[in-house]
Amino acid sequence: MAETHSLQDMRQQAAIAAKVFIQRDYTNGTVCQFQTKFPSELETRIDKQQFEETVRMLNNLYAEAEKLGGSSYLEGCLACLTAYTIFLCMETHYEKVLKKIAKFIQEQNDKIYAPRGLLLTDPIERGLRVVEVTIFEDRSLGR
Amino acid sequence: MSAVMMTRKVRKWEKLPGKNTFCCDGRVMMARQKGVFYLTLFLIVGTCSLFFAFECPYLAIHLSPAIPVFAILLFFFVMAMLLRTSFSDPGVLPRALPEEATFIEMEIEATNGNVPAGQRPPPRIRNVQINGQIVKLKYCYTCKIFRPPRASHCSICDNCVDRFDHHCPWVGNCVGKRNYRYFYLFTLSLSLLTIYIFTFNIVHVVMRSVNSGFMKTLQDTPGT
């Protein structure tokens, strides 16, 4: 019985004009990084700097997830000793950062992309292959 | 007046187009043919229970109680690794949604140009540079994606799996990026357990033979 429509509902009612796919950037090896090249389809919708900043931040988060340090080594050893049953109680460092990434994408969508009629999809939904940017039909009445 | 329609949310595993079977509300993911996996379970549990029933009482009294304790821990570790390998997602890559598939098709047509009818289209390859080397990424016709490096399509499970090693019928699942660690530990610990049981079988038989002769020993402990 909600009178106010949520942002999600509005998005679903809007028609999808196109989708752009940001591919993986393999120049530094097989670590999870995405290309920061600004796609031409988004030129009319969003600022180039803003978009590149989002992708750069995303790349940093993935680098943090895959970082190997003392804490990840200890986590691995402890897990092995307990026959990995410890992961029934706690989550891995990678999973924690994945949650952080999901929150980041949600935030970016709410603050920056939704007002411009765009939607970022979490790359984990696509198997860390692409960042899918959905472009909705521009229904702005000269706002 | 207002009818509240409770629509049950469709889970991702219910929509997965591959040939996997799921249990426990999506927590367990296996291949379709599970017969050999049950055989593996039976062999491991069977051998170990014979060991615990026949050897351990004798060894615990005459040698040390630490022997069966370590065997139990090792058995628990082997079972945990086996179940973890069999039940977890090997790293299945989701298939491309229709929009992405058309986007990739257009990209392929752009690179290959128009192929006259009747001629076989050239193989779909995407060249990427990884650390200065050119690596060819192959296109998967079933999943409609360009496979990332070291990914491969499993024909038994009908999925593209990241860092695909092989499909193991003994484990009833593919071995890929996400369960390689557990598979490796499973094979390692199982080898250790096998050697451990075999050694103590020999020790047990020798010890009993010294006391009462070889033939009587075999009569006393058929499980060995």
Side-chain angles (χ1 to χ4, degrees):
Chain A
M1 280 298 262
E3 294 302 326
T4 51
H5 295 285
S6 69
L7 200 60
Q8 281 284 11
D9 291 333
M10 280 178 77
R11 270 192 228 125
Q12 276 154 16
Q13 289 164 18
I16 297 172
K19 284 195 186 187
V20 192
F21 300 95
I22 314 296
Q23 303 292 327
R24 281 276 291 271
D25 178 15
Y26 288 111
T27 51
N28 290 330
T30 49
V31 263
C32 185
Q33 300 280 288
F34 290 95
Q35 291 177 354
T36 48
K37 188 169 85 71
F38 187 61
S40 50
E41 291 91 337
L42 298 177
E43 258 163 32
T44 54
R45 295 295 191 111
I46 194 166
D47 193 26
K48 178 176 175 200
Q49 285 291 90
Q50 185 66 265
F51 179 77
E52 281 182 7
E53 183 55 41
T54 307
V55 182
R56 213 169 287 135
M57 188 66 206
L58 205 58
N59 284 342
N60 287 342
L61 283 169
Y62 279 115
E64 188 196 322
E66 293 176 13
K67 191 168 74 91
L68 298 169
S71 61
S72 55
Y73 176 73
L74 276 175
E75 188 188 53
C77 284
L78 180 70
C80 189
L81 288 174
T82 61
Y84 294 90
T85 50
I86 200 164
F87 290 138
L88 296 166
C89 316
M90 63 175 244
E91 14 171 67
T92 64
H93 167 71
Y94 192 80
E95 280 169 0
K96 285 195 192 105
V97 182
L98 277 185
K99 282 208 176 143
K100 216 165 123 179
I101 289 171
K103 212 164 66 109
F104 169 73
I105 291 191
Q106 178 76 29
E107 259 173 50
Q108 291 283 299
N109 273 334
D110 289 336
K111 279 194 259 177
I112 302 169
Y113 291 87
R116 292 175 170 76
L118 298 170
L119 181 68
L120 288 177
T121 308
D122 197 341
I124 198 80
E125 307 262 328
R126 303 283 174 261
L128 293 181
R129 288 182 300 108
V130 288
V131 178
E132 192 179 294
V133 185
T134 315
I135 305 172
F136 290 99
E137 258 179 31
D138 198 1
R139 290 211 188 139
S140 58
L141 305 164
R143 234 184 296 160
Chain B
M1 194 139 75
S2 60
V4 178
M5 194 170 67
M6 292 290 283
T7 46
R8 188 181 146 275
K9 194 174 165 193
V10 179
R11 303 282 301 278
K12 274 186 206 158
W13 57 267
E14 289 170 357
K15 295 189 287 187
L16 191 74
K19 289 190 202 147
N20 291 99
T21 48
F22 292 88
C23 311
C24 298
D25 196 29
R27 289 186 183 88
V28 167
M29 178 174 176
M30 290 182 77
R32 264 199 204 153
Q33 289 112 342
K34 298 187 267 288
V36 188
F37 169 66
Y38 293 135
L39 176 70
T40 312
L41 271 179
F42 172 73
L43 284 174
I44 297 176
V45 171
T47 322
C48 289
S49 40
L50 283 176
F51 179 73
F52 291 133
F54 289 99
E55 263 91 63
C56 284
Y58 184 89
L59 288 170
I61 299 165
H62 289 89
L63 274 182
S64 158
I67 294 169
V69 166
F70 186 71
I72 289 172
L73 290 175
L74 201 51
F75 172 70
F76 169 67
F77 189 80
V78 168
M79 290 309 292
M81 290 299 103
L82 173 63
L83 295 178
R84 190 89 197 215
T85 311
S86 303
F87 295 165
S88 59
D89 173 11
V92 171
L93 292 169
R95 294 194 189 180
L97 295 177
E99 294 98 354
E100 196 185 342
T102 34
F103 178 84
I104 294 177
E105 300 251 328
M106 289 194 318
E107 188 199 316
I108 292 169
E109 256 170 57
T111 36
N112 286 344
N114 274 329
V115 177
Q119 271 187 26
R120 203 174 352 147
R124 298 175 173 187
I125 301 260
R126 181 192 277 173
N127 289 323
V128 289
Q129 235 198 13
I130 304 180
N131 275 332
Q133 273 191 324
I134 301 279
V135 173
K136 292 182 192 293
L137 301 185
K138 290 213 192 100
Y139 181 76
C140 179
Y141 285 90
T142 320
C143 303
K144 300 207 171 59
I145 57 169
F146 275 102
R147 288 189 209 116
R150 289 178 75 176
S152 194
H153 191 91
C154 174
S155 45
I156 303 171
C157 302
D158 204 23
N159 289 318
C160 266
V161 179
D162 205 6
R163 288 215 201 154
F164 182 67
D165 189 54
H166 68 289
H167 181 97
C168 183
W170 300 99
V171 155
N173 205 357
C174 291
V175 177
K177 179 169 156 195
R178 293 187 69 181
N179 64 357
Y180 193 82
R181 182 183 304 188
Y182 311 119
F183 180 73
Y184 182 72
L185 286 173
F186 166 64
T187 47
L188 205 64
S189 52
L190 186 64
S191 314
L192 212 68
L193 184 67
T194 315
I195 294 169
Y196 189 84
I197 290 182
F198 188 69
T199 316
F200 282 104
N201 275 355
I202 306 276
V203 165
H204 178 222
V205 169
V206 163
M207 282 177 76
R208 279 222 192 210
S209 305
V210 162
N211 284 339
S212 41
F214 190 64
M215 290 315 289
K216 188 165 184 305
T217 308
L218 289 181
Q219 281 178 339
D220 284 339
T221 59
T224 307

